[in-house]
Amino acid sequence: YTDAGEPSFVSAAEQPLSTLSADADTASYANLRRLVRSGAGLGTIDPGAVRIEEMLNYFDYDYAAPAEGEDFALTARAGACPWNAESELVVLGLTVGQAATEAPPTNLVLLVDVSGSMGDAEKLPLLKESMARIVKGLRAEDRVSIVTYSGVEEVVLKGASGDDTEAILSVINGLEAAGSTNGEAGLSMAYRVAEETHIEGGVNRIVMASDGDLNVGISSEDELNAFVSEKRGQGTYLSVLGFGSGNYQDAKMETLADYGNGSYHYIDSADEAARVYERFLAAGAVPVADDVKLQVEFDPRMVESYRLIGYANRVMADDDFRNDAADAGELCAGAELTVAYEVVLTDEGRRREGDEPWLTCAVRYQPAGERAGEAPAEQRFAVGRESWSAEPGDDWSLAAAVVEFGMLARDSEFVGTATADDAAALAESSASSLDATDRAARRELTDLIRQAQRNAAFDGVVAAS
């Protein structure tokens, strides 16, 4: 893991702008779930494994949909910060609109790591099961190719029809683990196959499945960044699915997805693979906006100081907001993005009268998909006192619970009065008004917090004895 640290409090008078790249990754939450279920306790987890933005973005929220003709909508909720009596917690929920027409065909290249390190039960066997779940969601108009890599890279399937399930599954089930890991050669071949099977007007995507243990060819994060940054110009998105533990290379996997114009997810079960496919890789997950940047401007008359929660490795220079050459994250149709700030208001900001905004959130992006080639677009949203409530709602409570859990897990210096009991109570309350299907993920969060708390207590007893 690589720990990018945590953003600190910033004076709104000295630095009113907070600029960041969109990040739709969810890997940190699923990986944290694995760690806790394997016995890790609060305060004992590598801080680099805990990226709070990925935990926030794992969950579904009830955010407003964009108005007709708009690509984005913003839902803002604010309330008293549960762990710091001096501040407010502001949660910004960004929603992406749906694609204007029926989902175009997908050109999917599955890049599968079959090196010796993938032989564990939680790696290649789970990868095979996960791929089987993914393949069953494809259509006749979709194309599927499979590239494997270890010490040798090989195209084992090229341009098959998406509904030729039997042939695709036969190839997947025949995969075996052996050899070293030449990720560079595998990626090069996958990009070449993606270019040869490219669907004009379609969604062209490589999905790399690996434990990230690249030990032949390029392997450093800087080299991987440069490699995929050069390749992304061909119009192919690179998403990454991580598997396993022990020698798992989280930092390398995140780098590949971030600079490959895709998203990064950790797979700890076949159900998680199906969930990731449905939300991020299915035919309906059509890219709508590339290079999505957010710039939040705080009014120093209303806000004394603020702290961005998470997104430490997604912070951008303020000047890059309108620098269209600066790379940023990509978002698909129907995606949600959650950004939270801990905010200390001025006396004027705490007044309950007036309509002056506390902050303005601007979103800049390059239209993608069927609108690729259009000029960059920008939307702005004002957020003020109307967003504040003594009872900000279930989505706000969920976000607060996730942040508290994340801070406790990474032993944050900003944890304040947060406790596992408080985080679990917030998570549980956030599910109270939902139906059984929507409640499951939030109840799982409650259970996970409790288990991490028990694990920490057990570790303490063992240490004392």
Side-chain angles (χ1 to χ4, degrees):
Y1 302 106
T2 297
D3 183 18
E6 294 181 273
S8 299
F9 276 98
V10 176
S11 165
E14 296 176 5
Q15 189 174 325
L17 298 178
S18 172
T19 307
L20 62 145
S21 165
D23 184 358
D25 298 350
T26 63
S28 184
Y29 180 78
N31 187 39
L32 182 60
R33 178 172 61 199
R34 172 188 65 85
L35 291 169
V36 171
R37 288 176 175 174
S38 299
L42 298 176
T44 68
I45 297 165
D46 188 320
V50 185
R51 294 183 291 275
I52 294 178
E53 70 277 10
E54 295 181 20
M55 297 170 66
L56 285 167
N57 289 323
Y58 182 88
F59 294 91
D60 295 320
Y61 302 85
D62 186 23
Y63 294 150
E68 186 174 353
E70 300 286 1
D71 289 326
F72 291 93
L74 185 76
T75 301
R77 296 286 182 267
C81 183
W83 59 85
N84 184 352
E86 303 300 317
S87 62
E88 316 294 325
L89 177 64
V90 178
V91 178
L92 307 177
L94 196 69
T95 310
V96 185
Q98 296 293 336
T101 60
E102 185 179 349
T106 297
N107 174 36
L108 183 64
V109 178
L110 301 175
L111 175 60
V112 183
D113 181 354
V114 292
S115 63
S117 68
M118 291 291 291
D120 297 345
E122 61 186 358
K123 295 184 181 180
L124 189 57
L126 176 57
L127 187 156
K128 289 182 180 181
E129 187 180 357
S130 301
M131 290 297 178
R133 298 284 287 268
I134 288 174
V135 165
K136 290 176 182 177
L138 297 173
R139 308 161 299 173
E141 59 266 38
D142 299 326
R143 288 180 193 162
V144 181
S145 302
I146 301 176
V147 176
T148 62
Y149 70 97
S150 54
V152 177
E153 63 282 359
E154 183 180 3
V155 180
V156 293
L157 186 69
K158 184 174 179 180
S161 173
D163 66 350
D164 194 355
T165 306
E166 185 176 347
I168 300 169
L169 291 180
S170 176
V171 172
I172 290 172
N173 291 332
L175 300 178
E176 296 182 356
S180 56
T181 315
N182 192 337
E184 175 187 6
L187 280 163
S188 293
M189 182 167 283
Y191 273 108
R192 186 162 64 252
V193 170
E195 192 167 13
E196 291 170 354
T197 57
H198 182 88
I199 298 178
E200 192 64 34
V203 178
N204 297 278
R205 189 186 302 277
I206 297 170
V207 176
M208 179 180 184
S210 173
D211 61 5
D213 189 19
L214 312 179
N215 51 36
V216 178
I218 59 173
S219 58
S220 75
E221 290 161 49
D222 287 342
E223 289 174 318
L224 292 168
N225 173 357
F227 179 82
V228 296
S229 294
E230 179 185 352
K231 294 290 186 182
R232 67 172 177 247
Q234 73 179 54
T236 299
Y237 295 85
L238 172 63
S239 292
V240 178
L241 306 181
F243 291 82
S245 60
N247 61 338
Y248 185 67
Q249 300 294 314
D250 174 79
K252 293 177 182 178
M253 302 290 273
E254 185 186 19
T255 296
L256 287 168
D258 285 354
Y259 292 96
N261 281 5
S263 54
Y264 168 40
H265 313 279
Y266 183 84
I267 307 300
D268 58 347
S269 68
D271 286 342
E272 180 65 15
R275 181 181 187 274
V276 166
Y277 175 77
E278 183 63 30
R279 287 184 60 182
F280 298 97
L281 306 176
V286 180
V288 169
D290 289 345
D291 293 329
V292 183
K293 306 164 191 173
L294 282 72
Q295 187 167 78
V296 178
E297 182 172 5
F298 293 88
D299 185 340
R301 297 173 302 166
M302 306 291 169
V303 175
E304 180 180 301
S305 61
Y306 64 88
R307 179 176 76 88
L308 174 64
I309 298 174
Y311 291 93
N313 61 359
R314 291 294 202 164
V315 172
M316 303 182 72
D318 295 333
D319 290 344
D320 277 340
F321 181 68
R322 291 192 176 89
N323 173 10
D324 296 323
D327 182 59
E330 283 64 42
L331 294 176
C332 291
E336 294 176 341
L337 188 74
T338 299
V339 181
Y341 286 91
E342 191 174 342
V343 172
V344 178
L345 299 174
T346 63
D347 290 341
E348 176 66 16
R350 282 191 290 269
R351 289 176 54 236
R352 296 290 176 252
E353 303 85 24
D355 56 2
E356 300 92 341
W358 290 339
L359 61 91
T360 301
C361 178
V363 184
R364 188 173 177 85
Y365 58 100
Q366 177 66 58
E370 61 191 27
R371 294 170 52 200
E374 292 184 10
E378 192 170 314
Q379 282 185 245
R380 300 180 67 83
F381 306 92
V383 176
R385 296 180 177 90
E386 75 289 343
S387 66
W388 194 94
S389 174
E391 297 181 0
D394 290 344
D395 284 344
W396 182 93
S397 295
L398 172 62
V402 170
V403 172
E404 282 201 320
F405 181 33
M407 291 193 302
L408 289 164
R410 63 176 290 121
D411 197 19
S412 168
E413 65 175 294
F414 303 104
V415 72
T417 61
T419 66
D421 287 337
D422 289 344
L426 280 166
E428 190 166 15
S429 70
S430 78
S432 59
S433 64
L434 303 178
D435 62 29
T437 301
D438 292 333
R439 193 164 55 231
R442 301 187 184 199
R443 286 286 171 84
E444 179 190 76
L445 172 63
T446 305
D447 294 342
L448 207 62
I449 296 168
R450 295 292 190 197
Q451 186 172 354
Q453 183 184 35
R454 291 193 298 271
N455 292 347
F458 177 77
D459 289 343
V461 170
V462 172
S465 63

